[in-house]
Amino acid sequence: MVGEIMLPFDTSLAEVLVDMVFIVKVEEDFTFTYAFFNRVAIEKTNLDQNAIGKTFSEVHDEELSILLNAEYGKVLNTNKTTTYEDSYKSPSGIRRYSEARLTPLFDKTGAYTHIVGVVKDVTNEKVAKLESEDSWNKLVESKSRYRSLFENNTDAVFTTDLSGVILSGNTAVEKISGYPLDELKGRALIEFLDTSDPVFSIKSFQQALEYGLNDYRITFLEKSGASVSCLVNFTPIEVRDKVVGIYAIVKDLRELDDMSNKFVESEKHFRIIAKNVQDVIVLINDKQEYLYVSPSSNQIYGYDSTEYTAKSLSWHVHPEDVSRMEQNFVQALREGTTCSIRLRIKHKFNGWLWSELKATPVYDERNKFKHMVIIIRDITLQKKHEEQLEYFAYRDFLTNLPNRRFFTDQLLMELDHFQNGGNGFTVFLLDIDHFKGINDQYGHEIGDCVIKEFGRRLCASIPKDAIAARLGGDEFILLLPKVETAKLAKETAINIQRAMEAQWSIKHTTLNVTASMGISLVLSTEATVSTILKNADNAMYEAKKSGGNSFEILCFR
């Protein structure tokens, strides 16, 4: 506690500041130990009162302790107040940015006694600056890209104001309309849209303003009076988060319609021909029977389109995904919307492939269901990439063990299970004894090898259902489900000690590596993640005080 360390000044003012305040004592050997930190510092970092009286290297991982020793050392070397910028992770795991101001304090003889660090959270300013720089670079690039996309777009792009009056357009506008651009400017776009429901067009503009992208099948009137079947997409133009106009992108569908008409059969079912696309296009009826499968199915899933005859859609969908797919279909039919779902589809030779399926119901003029248009895409590589990203987000790069984030999630799940009638459990907090000395004597390469080997031996000496993770530096942590007695916890601790007692030979260097273990036995549903970890930390502290290579057990009842 703060009261146990006599400070030559009043710290009460620091407790009402909104900035983090750290008071560090300068020891006789010019090392630094924590003497005080205020409430804000405790809330925004992982520090607690157990850090009082400890050096930076005893509290933080190696990287942070080196930084702090260097910055606080500058104060002693320069005899002046210094400032530096840093970043850290809050207890919730969010990256924060800070600006620290370090000021030396002297006694009556002029000797250094303490250094006061006032750390200001500048996350918002830092993020804003980074975003501003990034936005400017992107703006220069995107402006060039936009101009090229606008002018060279094969679709007609109209720019209108909020009332739909044409302001400008690209070169394709003249091609689809037959009007010179100057004759279009100042006229309402609706004048050129042939629809039996004028309210529909007005509503389309309103929806574009409110919801963003919308596609409408409509007829565009050329200057000659000819009708052009087209697809219109209304997109709001936003400047500084304010909608100032609308892009109307008009796609000429005459060629596509001509192709579709060639494949209309007597029962008027559409058949979509897509021989060269990278997706599989499917039409099914109300019984989920295939009406059409594009030839691309052979390339993507190994099946010729004729092999789908007389089969239902679910025949090559993974059994575990069929029910979810059908539920999505029912909702799409009920709401008349497109559904999207990820599922596994069987390849003829290569097993199950993760795929993305998008299904859209099609209705006739009387609003009667005709068929479902389905587009299926192989996303195996995308899925694998996503899984790899998720894996690395929860892994420690050095040991390949789970990291603090993963362990915290698992601890929360185990605690929730216990509080809902499950078994008690145990948490081990482990710290390699004298690891700093190993690093100093043999170098960081040997130190990293010790960390990896420690993790390997640790995993080999614990039950299969236990979870081992690296918190950082030389700290490891264990979660042992169903271990709810001190006897079982002690047996595990002894197994770990025996594993570490075996000879260590790393890069032709023989070492003696031991660990101190703090054991938190969780037998009360009143426990929280914070109290469990604090118990384990207190127990490990007692083990360290006894000389290391030992363990202490604290029971939370």
Side-chain angles (χ1 to χ4, degrees):
M1 297 296 292
V2 174
E4 297 175 358
I5 295 181
M6 299 301 295
L7 296 175
F9 39 78
D10 186 6
T11 60
S12 58
L13 178 60
E15 292 295 354
V16 299
L17 296 178
V18 295
D19 295 331
M20 293 181 281
V21 177
F22 302 86
I23 299 177
V24 173
K25 183 180 179 182
V26 182
E27 302 292 350
E28 292 182 358
D29 58 354
F30 293 103
T31 59
F32 306 104
T33 58
Y34 282 112
F36 169 81
F37 33 76
N38 66 350
R39 171 185 51 80
V40 179
I42 294 175
E43 291 174 354
K44 292 190 175 183
T45 68
N46 291 314
L47 290 174
D48 58 28
Q49 295 298 339
N50 290 320
I52 298 298
K54 293 184 179 180
T55 64
F56 294 148
S57 60
E58 291 176 318
V59 175
H60 303 293
D61 59 34
E62 181 182 2
E63 181 180 356
L64 180 55
S65 64
I66 290 175
L67 171 66
L68 292 175
N69 278 312
E71 295 298 338
Y72 278 78
K74 288 179 184 177
V75 178
L76 300 185
N77 293 332
T78 62
N79 198 25
K80 296 180 180 179
T81 295
T82 66
T83 60
Y84 71 94
E85 292 185 356
D86 191 16
S87 66
Y88 64 95
K89 282 190 176 182
S90 67
S92 61
I94 298 174
R95 174 64 61 184
R96 310 292 298 179
Y97 296 90
S98 62
E99 182 180 87
R101 182 180 181 87
L102 307 181
T103 303
L105 299 179
F106 311 90
D107 60 15
K108 294 180 179 180
T109 65
Y112 291 103
T113 62
H114 296 79
I115 296 175
V116 178
V118 179
V119 181
K120 181 179 181 181
D121 190 330
V122 294
T123 302
N124 293 338
E125 295 89 334
K126 185 74 172 180
V127 171
K129 181 180 178 182
L130 294 174
E131 289 180 348
S132 177
E133 293 173 352
D134 184 53
S135 297
W136 175 255
N137 293 333
K138 288 181 178 179
L139 179 62
V140 173
E141 180 182 355
S142 64
K143 187 174 181 180
S144 175
R145 291 176 181 269
Y146 161 77
R147 177 52 56 187
S148 176
L149 178 63
F150 183 81
E151 293 295 343
N152 300 323
N153 200 324
T154 56
D155 296 332
V157 182
F158 294 85
T159 302
T160 79
D161 62 16
L162 296 180
S163 61
V165 174
I166 299 172
L167 302 177
S168 65
N170 64 354
T171 54
V173 163
E174 298 183 354
K175 182 178 179 181
I176 198 171
S177 69
Y179 291 93
L181 184 58
D182 289 341
E183 291 186 26
L184 294 172
K185 292 181 179 179
R187 298 175 64 181
L189 180 61
I190 291 178
E191 294 180 30
F192 306 96
L193 303 181
D194 182 16
T195 173
S196 59
D197 183 7
V199 178
F200 171 81
S201 297
I202 297 172
K203 186 184 297 183
S204 302
F205 275 87
Q206 292 172 342
Q207 290 179 341
L209 292 175
E210 295 177 11
Y211 307 115
L213 298 176
N214 290 278
D215 291 329
Y216 300 96
R217 185 68 180 256
I218 207 162
T219 301
F220 193 91
L221 299 177
E222 284 187 329
K223 184 176 183 180
S224 64
S227 298
V228 180
S229 178
C230 60
L231 189 71
V232 179
N233 173 284
F234 297 117
T235 304
I237 302 173
E238 294 187 12
V239 177
R240 297 186 181 92
D241 296 327
K242 182 180 180 181
V243 177
V244 298
I246 298 174
Y247 286 125
I249 304 173
V250 182
K251 179 182 288 292
D252 189 338
L253 295 182
R254 284 176 291 188
E255 184 177 348
L256 182 61
D257 285 346
D258 288 342
M259 290 179 59
S260 298
N261 290 334
K262 294 177 182 178
F263 297 99
V264 174
E265 298 179 352
S266 59
E267 69 272 30
K268 297 182 180 180
H269 283 154
F270 286 101
R271 291 189 173 274
I272 303 173
I273 304 303
K275 294 183 179 180
N276 300 312
V277 297
Q278 295 301 311
D279 301 332
V280 177
I281 301 176
V282 175
L283 294 182
I284 62 171
N285 61 17
D286 57 350
K287 297 179 181 178
Q288 294 192 16
E289 296 170 334
Y290 289 98
L291 300 175
Y292 172 79
V293 178
S294 64
S296 54
S297 63
N298 195 340
Q299 176 185 353
I300 298 175
Y301 294 105
Y303 291 101
D304 186 85
S305 57
T306 58
E307 296 183 68
Y308 294 85
T309 305
K311 293 184 175 68
S312 67
L313 180 63
S314 60
W315 78 277
H316 68 148
V317 174
H318 196 285
E320 295 179 2
D321 299 331
V322 171
S323 175
R324 187 159 47 91
M325 177 188 71
E326 292 178 345
Q327 290 174 7
N328 277 265
F329 281 2
V330 169
Q331 183 176 354
L333 288 170
R334 183 173 61 248
E335 299 177 359
T337 57
T338 298
C339 67
S340 179
I341 179 176
R342 289 185 172 189
L343 40 65
R344 287 157 290 184
I345 293 180
K346 189 173 184 180
H347 188 282
K348 189 172 184 178
F349 308 107
N350 300 330
W352 299 103
L353 301 182
W354 274 103
S355 306
E356 182 179 63
L357 180 152
K358 293 186 176 182
T360 304
V362 178
Y363 303 89
D364 61 16
E365 296 82 0
R366 299 180 181 179
N367 204 33
K368 183 179 179 181
F369 175 78
K370 293 176 62 178
H371 51 251
M372 183 86 79
V373 179
I374 301 175
I375 299 177
I376 306 173
R377 172 172 296 179
D378 176 10
I379 59 167
T380 303
L381 292 178
Q382 177 184 339
K383 184 75 173 176
K384 184 177 180 181
H385 180 63
E386 290 172 355
E387 291 173 349
Q388 287 177 335
L389 289 177
E390 183 177 1
Y391 175 84
F392 288 122
Y394 286 98
R395 287 280 154 177
D396 170 60
F397 74 96
L398 181 60
T399 63
N400 203 34
L401 290 174
N403 59 15
R404 181 190 297 269
R405 179 180 177 186
F406 179 87
F407 183 86
T408 301
D409 289 348
Q410 295 300 308
L411 180 55
L412 281 168
M413 291 172 59
E414 188 65 29
L415 184 58
D416 181 68
H417 174 69
F418 173 47
Q419 292 172 342
N420 285 279
N423 298 94
F425 59 94
T426 298
V427 171
F428 276 54
L429 187 61
L430 303 94
D431 185 272
I432 300 176
D433 295 326
H434 313 300
F435 180 72
K436 185 177 183 300
I438 294 175
N439 263 340
D440 292 343
Q441 183 175 355
Y442 301 107
H444 294 296
E445 183 179 3
I446 295 292
D448 286 348
C449 290
V450 169
I451 291 289
K452 288 191 284 188
E453 177 62 14
F454 187 90
R456 187 194 67 78
R457 295 191 183 198
L458 185 62
C459 291
S461 59
I462 59 178
K464 291 183 178 180
D465 61 348
I467 296 173
R470 183 188 178 206
L471 296 181
D474 61 326
E475 277 196 334
F476 292 77
I477 196 164
L478 301 177
L479 173 62
L480 284 79
K482 301 177 184 178
V483 174
E484 48 188 340
T485 67
K487 179 182 178 182
L488 290 174
K490 182 178 180 180
E491 290 175 358
T492 302
I494 292 173
N495 286 339
I496 294 172
Q497 285 182 326
R498 289 173 179 169
M500 301 308 165
E501 288 171 356
Q503 183 177 359
W504 288 66
S505 180
I506 296 177
K507 294 185 179 297
H508 309 295
T509 301
T510 300
L511 301 169
N512 178 32
V513 179
T514 60
S516 297
M517 292 175 273
I519 302 172
S520 180
L521 198 60
V522 183
L523 301 178
S524 169
T525 55
E526 299 298 320
T528 65
V529 169
S530 177
T531 57
I532 293 170
L533 296 180
K534 186 174 182 179
N535 258 19
D537 187 62
N538 289 339
M540 187 180 74
Y541 179 72
E542 293 299 323
K544 281 283 187 186
K545 285 202 320 184
S546 67
N549 193 23
S550 62
F551 58 87
E552 292 290 336
I553 301 175
L554 289 179
C555 180
F556 193 101
R557 296 183 180 275

